[in-house]
């Protein structure tokens, strides 16, 4: 069986399988590969396109004070968004593994609908919510702070991003928590440990791969997120994605944009590679979103 | 899964004695259910605010909606700028779905039968568009497409959207191929069918659901895509998300409320429809499994 199966599945022409890959690889190479490589090449050129290699564009990322401020603000925003998503997403994903199939289907739908609803519709909703006299302000006024205006601030961007990116935390977490054998937890309880200790010593360590992939996925997305800061935020409190857009669109500093883009890409891919090693977040997202449609 | 949980909750208290038997030892605590409901509301409620806003008579995005009018909807379906953007979006998304499904399905079929380090590397490489920050792709593709004169063209939009939709087709078709019983393929081959016939008569019908799901994912991905579209659009060719983006950033056009509401309603219905159908089928599907589990 094991001897014959690979041969038969491979078919009579083994090389034919590689030919099937050509359209996809060619398309990605031309549409994404070429622009990204050109981006890297540009990042080592001087802004005026004279010949020679320079590292100036990279040096500028870490020496220009305004850029450094934006990088730091992005880092802090991404950390807060990631922590909020974990605090909200973990109990939700855990509850999904505990309820009956019908409630689980409903909870999965609740996560997947925003996952597939236009990002613009959801961010537009936050523009309304964060405005003057809008629900968020009324919420703070209820607690005695009537003058909180989050529209155009980093705080508003963080609040909106936490909601927009929450599904990306729940989905990998649910994939991971669903695979934990709850009888281990019951065994710990049966042997006399309290619910909290049983959770901390048994359940949490088993869920760490899902937590790690969810954390890294949300953090990565938050670092490079463009729509929410561009719509809900303001140029005065911009995040790094807005800066990259500005350099490309308005300042036409293609060399600087090349360096900044390459920097963001390298950080992202490094984090994703790490996530893949600990938990396989890319496949978790794919698998769960497929399951939701079955 | 459910039958196992039932056994646990019934069996464990019996060992624990009569006092504990009143309350199942592994019950979901009430506070967790409450947190779950709060998170569910946080996921769903904010976006729904676009619906009351879409009937407002106000010409700004100011929160409490004023009066009641269908004006924004009639503007959405009569204003050429909105209609044309909608038409472009549908056209781009449909073409993207076709191209991405063809390339992605071919790649999934090839990869399914390939093993080894090279195949694994390509598998990872094809998933990279899923995790590359949209703004990095958008800025790089924009500068390259400027040189290729592809900005503001149908083919430019389709190429860029196909590249980012490929992973979704790949994931769905790969999942369908994974659940395909290789014995069926062997049976077909041993009965004398050539590979092409085996594919058309056995493989294709069995994975058609995965292919269709992949095509739907590609369509939605393209239809929703904002960031690349904002960069590569031109005044003469833009998609619906670009029109929505501009109606917030450059012109204050409340028609976006109507557009957002329509998207939210359509996506929600698309998700709830299969849920309703699935529920009707459930008892028939579940009874044999429930009978064999204990």
């Amino acid at each position: 069986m094991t001897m014959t199966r690979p041969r038969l599945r491979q078919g009579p022409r083994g090389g034919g399988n590689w030919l099937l890959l050509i359209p996809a690889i060619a398309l990605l190479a031309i549409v994404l590969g070429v622009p990204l490589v050109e981006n890297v090449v540009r990042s080592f050129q001087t802004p005026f396109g004279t010949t020679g290699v320079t590292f100036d564009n990279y040096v500028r990322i870490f020496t220009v004070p305004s850029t450094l401020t934006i990088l730091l603000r992005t880092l802090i925003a991404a950390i807060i968004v990631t922590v909020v998503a974990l605090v909200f997403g973990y109990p939700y994903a855990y509850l999904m593994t505990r309820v009956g199939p019908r409630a689980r289907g409903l909870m999965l739908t609740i996560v997947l609908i925003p996952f597939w609803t236009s990002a613009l519709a959801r961010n537009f909703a936050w523009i309304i919510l964060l405005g003057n006299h809008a629900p968020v302000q009324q919420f703070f006024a209820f607690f005695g702070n009537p003058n909180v205006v989050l529209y155009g601030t980093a705080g508003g961007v963080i609040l909106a991003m936490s909601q927009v990116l929450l599904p990306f935390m729940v989905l990998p977490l649910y994939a991971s928590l669903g695979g934990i054998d709850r009888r281990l937890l019951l065994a710990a309880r049966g042997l006399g440990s309290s619910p909290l200790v049983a959770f901390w010593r048994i359940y949490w360590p088993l869920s760490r791969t899902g937590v790690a992939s969810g954390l890294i996925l949300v953090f990565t997305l938050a670092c490079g997120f463009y729509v929410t800061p561009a719509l809900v935020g303001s140029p005065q409190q911009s995040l790094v994605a807005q800066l990259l857009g500005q350099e490309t669109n308005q300042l036409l500093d293609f060399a600087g944009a090349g360096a900044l883009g390459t920097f963001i890409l390298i950080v992202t891919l490094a984090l994703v590679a790490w996530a893949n090693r600990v938990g396989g977040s890319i496949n978790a997202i794919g698998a769960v979103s497929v399951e939701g449609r079955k | 899964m459910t039958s196992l949980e039932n056994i646990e909750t019934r069996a464990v208290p019996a060992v624990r004695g009569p006092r504990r038997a009143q309350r199942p030892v592994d019950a979901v605590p009430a506070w967790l259910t409450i947190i779950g409901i709060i998170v569910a509301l946080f996921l769903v409620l904010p976006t729904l605010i676009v619906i009351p806003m879409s009937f407002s008579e106000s010409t700004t995005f100011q929160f409490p909606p004023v009066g009641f009018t269908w004006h924004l909807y009639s503007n959405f379906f009569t204003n050429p700028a909105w209609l044309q953007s909608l038409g472009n979006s549908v056209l781009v998304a449909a073409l993207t779905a076709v191209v991405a499904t063809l390339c992605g399905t071919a790649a999934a079929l090839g990869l399914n039968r390939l093993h080894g380090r090279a195949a694994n590397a390509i598998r990872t490489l094809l998933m990279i568009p899923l995790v590359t920050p949209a703004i990095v792709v958008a800025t790089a593709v924009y500068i390259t497409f400027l040189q290729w004169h592809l900005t503001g063209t149908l083919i430019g939009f389709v190429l860029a959207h196909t590249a980012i939709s490929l992973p979704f087709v790949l994931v769905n078709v790969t999942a369908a191929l994974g659940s395909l019983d290789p014995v069926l393929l062997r049976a077909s081959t041993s009965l004398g069918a050539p590979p092409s016939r085996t594919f058309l008569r056995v493989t294709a019908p069995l994975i058609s659901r995965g292919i269709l799901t992949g095509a739907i994912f590609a369509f939605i991905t393209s239809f929703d895509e904002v960031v690349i579209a904002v960069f590569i659009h031109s005044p003469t060719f833009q998609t619906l998300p670009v029109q929505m983006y501009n109606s917030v950033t450059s012109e204050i056009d409340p028609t976006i409320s109507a557009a957002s509401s329509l998207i939210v309603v359509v996506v929600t219905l698309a998700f709830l429809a299969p849920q309703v159908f699935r529920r009707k089928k459930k008892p028939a599907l579940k009874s044999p499994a429930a009978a064999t589990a204990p």
Side-chain angles (χ1 to χ4, degrees):
Chain A
M1 177 104 176
T2 41
M3 290 290 282
T4 52
R5 206 166 118 184
R7 193 166 51 82
L8 269 170
R9 289 187 80 191
Q10 209 159 3
R13 293 170 296 128
N17 293 324
W18 289 103
L19 288 177
L20 286 170
L21 301 179
I22 288 177
I25 293 176
L27 191 115
L28 284 184
I30 294 168
V31 181
L32 289 185
V34 170
L36 289 175
V37 169
E38 282 190 351
N39 218 29
V40 175
V41 170
R42 262 195 309 273
S43 73
F44 292 110
Q45 290 172 349
T46 58
F48 307 105
T50 48
T51 49
V53 171
T54 173
F55 291 94
D56 253 18
N57 301 309
Y58 289 96
V59 173
R60 271 194 297 155
I61 296 176
F62 300 104
T63 49
V64 175
S66 63
T67 310
L68 272 180
T69 312
I70 289 173
L71 280 180
L72 190 67
R73 188 186 296 131
T74 308
L75 182 71
I76 294 169
I79 289 173
I80 297 174
V81 166
T82 311
V83 171
V84 170
L86 180 68
V87 169
F88 278 31
Y90 197 97
Y92 190 84
Y94 174 75
L95 197 61
M96 278 175 81
T97 67
R98 296 300 316 281
V99 294
R102 187 172 286 201
R104 185 177 320 146
L106 180 69
M107 289 179 81
L108 192 58
T109 307
I110 286 173
V111 179
L112 286 174
I113 287 178
F115 193 72
W116 286 111
T117 305
S118 152
L120 248 162
R122 288 186 293 150
N123 282 295
F124 172 64
W126 278 105
I127 294 179
I128 300 167
L129 288 168
L130 294 171
N132 222 0
H133 306 300
V136 172
Q137 200 183 41
Q138 287 170 4
F139 176 82
F140 283 107
F142 183 76
F143 291 103
N145 299 305
N147 295 321
V148 179
V149 176
L150 287 177
Y151 180 74
T153 67
V157 173
I158 289 170
L159 179 59
M161 268 208 293
S162 306
Q163 194 251 352
V164 172
L165 293 180
L166 188 52
F168 292 96
M169 177 65 83
V170 175
L171 292 177
L173 269 180
Y174 170 59
S176 157
L177 298 187
I180 296 178
D181 187 352
R182 287 196 53 76
R183 283 171 296 186
L184 295 173
L185 208 54
L186 289 166
R189 295 290 305 281
L191 292 169
S193 80
S194 72
L196 207 64
V197 172
F199 171 81
W200 184 245
R201 298 282 296 273
I202 309 287
Y203 200 82
W204 174 255
L206 287 171
S207 69
R208 267 202 305 236
T209 53
V211 171
S213 50
L215 285 178
I216 295 166
L217 190 66
V218 172
F219 183 78
T220 315
L221 286 167
C223 282
F225 221 56
Y226 180 72
V227 185
T228 307
L231 289 181
V232 179
S234 62
Q236 288 76 39
Q237 295 197 21
S238 65
L239 301 185
V240 71
Q242 281 162 284
L243 180 66
L244 178 55
Q246 234 173 24
E247 284 184 350
T248 309
N249 237 354
Q250 293 160 24
L251 307 175
L252 303 180
D253 177 10
F254 289 175
L260 193 57
T262 306
F263 171 69
I264 298 174
L265 188 61
I266 288 172
V267 171
T268 305
L269 291 184
L271 283 169
V272 168
W274 188 32
N276 252 350
R277 186 162 294 180
V278 292
S281 61
I282 304 179
N283 294 328
I285 286 274
V288 176
S289 52
V290 169
E291 188 183 307
R293 281 303 187 102
K294 261 184 196 165
Chain B
M1 179 79 185
T2 30
S3 51
L4 258 181
E5 277 170 11
N6 286 340
I7 295 165
E8 286 156 7
T9 43
R10 263 185 278 119
V12 177
V15 184
R16 282 295 195 98
R19 195 176 57 85
R20 283 294 185 96
Q22 304 299 322
R23 201 165 54 92
V25 72
D26 197 27
V28 177
W31 59 266
L32 190 64
T33 312
I34 293 167
I35 292 179
I37 291 169
I38 292 172
V39 174
L41 292 177
F42 183 58
L43 279 166
V44 171
L45 275 189
T47 311
L48 294 183
I49 199 163
V50 299
I51 293 172
M53 291 301 287
S54 67
F55 297 107
S56 174
E57 287 167 4
S58 167
T59 52
T60 65
F61 305 138
Q62 193 62 39
F63 170 61
V66 188
F68 181 91
T69 173
W70 289 94
H71 171 74
L72 296 178
Y73 287 92
S74 67
N75 190 42
F76 179 75
F77 285 112
T78 51
N79 186 327
W82 284 96
L83 265 188
Q84 190 136 44
S85 311
L86 178 64
N88 288 341
S89 270
V90 172
L91 184 63
V92 169
L95 289 174
T96 298
V98 171
V99 181
T101 306
L102 287 175
C103 296
T105 304
L109 286 169
L111 281 173
N112 189 47
R113 286 177 245 152
L114 288 169
H115 304 277
R117 196 167 287 178
N120 275 334
I122 289 174
R123 211 166 275 139
T124 309
L125 208 67
L126 291 177
M127 296 304 278
I128 280 184
L130 207 57
V131 291
T132 312
I135 185 67
V136 177
V137 174
T139 50
V141 165
Y142 168 64
I143 297 171
T144 303
F145 275 20
L146 274 180
Q147 297 156 17
W148 294 350
H149 304 289
L150 283 176
T151 52
T153 64
L154 176 65
I155 187 164
F157 270 87
V158 173
L159 282 175
H161 284 179
T162 303
I164 57 162
S165 311
L166 261 178
F168 291 109
V169 178
L170 200 63
V171 164
N172 281 293
V173 179
T174 304
L177 284 168
S179 55
L180 186 71
D181 191 346
V183 172
L184 296 173
L185 303 183
R186 220 172 314 153
S188 169
T189 311
S190 71
L191 289 170
S196 58
R197 196 181 172 88
T198 303
F199 174 77
L200 285 176
R201 301 298 292 273
V202 182
T203 312
L206 286 170
I207 63 168
S208 60
R209 215 190 153 97
I211 296 175
L212 184 68
T213 314
I216 294 171
F217 275 37
F219 185 94
I220 298 179
T221 304
S222 163
F223 194 81
D224 272 356
E225 204 285 323
V226 197
V227 186
I228 299 174
V230 161
F231 277 85
I232 68 170
H233 84 276
S234 72
T236 50
F237 191 93
Q238 61 175 21
T239 53
L240 184 61
V242 178
Q243 172 72 20
M244 291 168 76
Y245 186 92
N246 286 340
S247 72
V248 176
T249 52
S250 43
E251 58 212 75
I252 304 292
D253 181 358
T255 309
I256 183 181
S257 309
S260 299
S261 302
L262 287 171
I263 291 172
V264 169
V265 170
V266 168
V267 171
T268 307
L269 288 180
F271 265 93
L272 290 182
Q275 289 265 321
V276 171
F277 290 124
R278 197 180 353 167
R279 247 168 239 175
K280 280 184 185 156
K281 264 192 254 166
K282 206 122 216 178
L285 279 172
K286 263 204 77 179
S287 50
T292 49

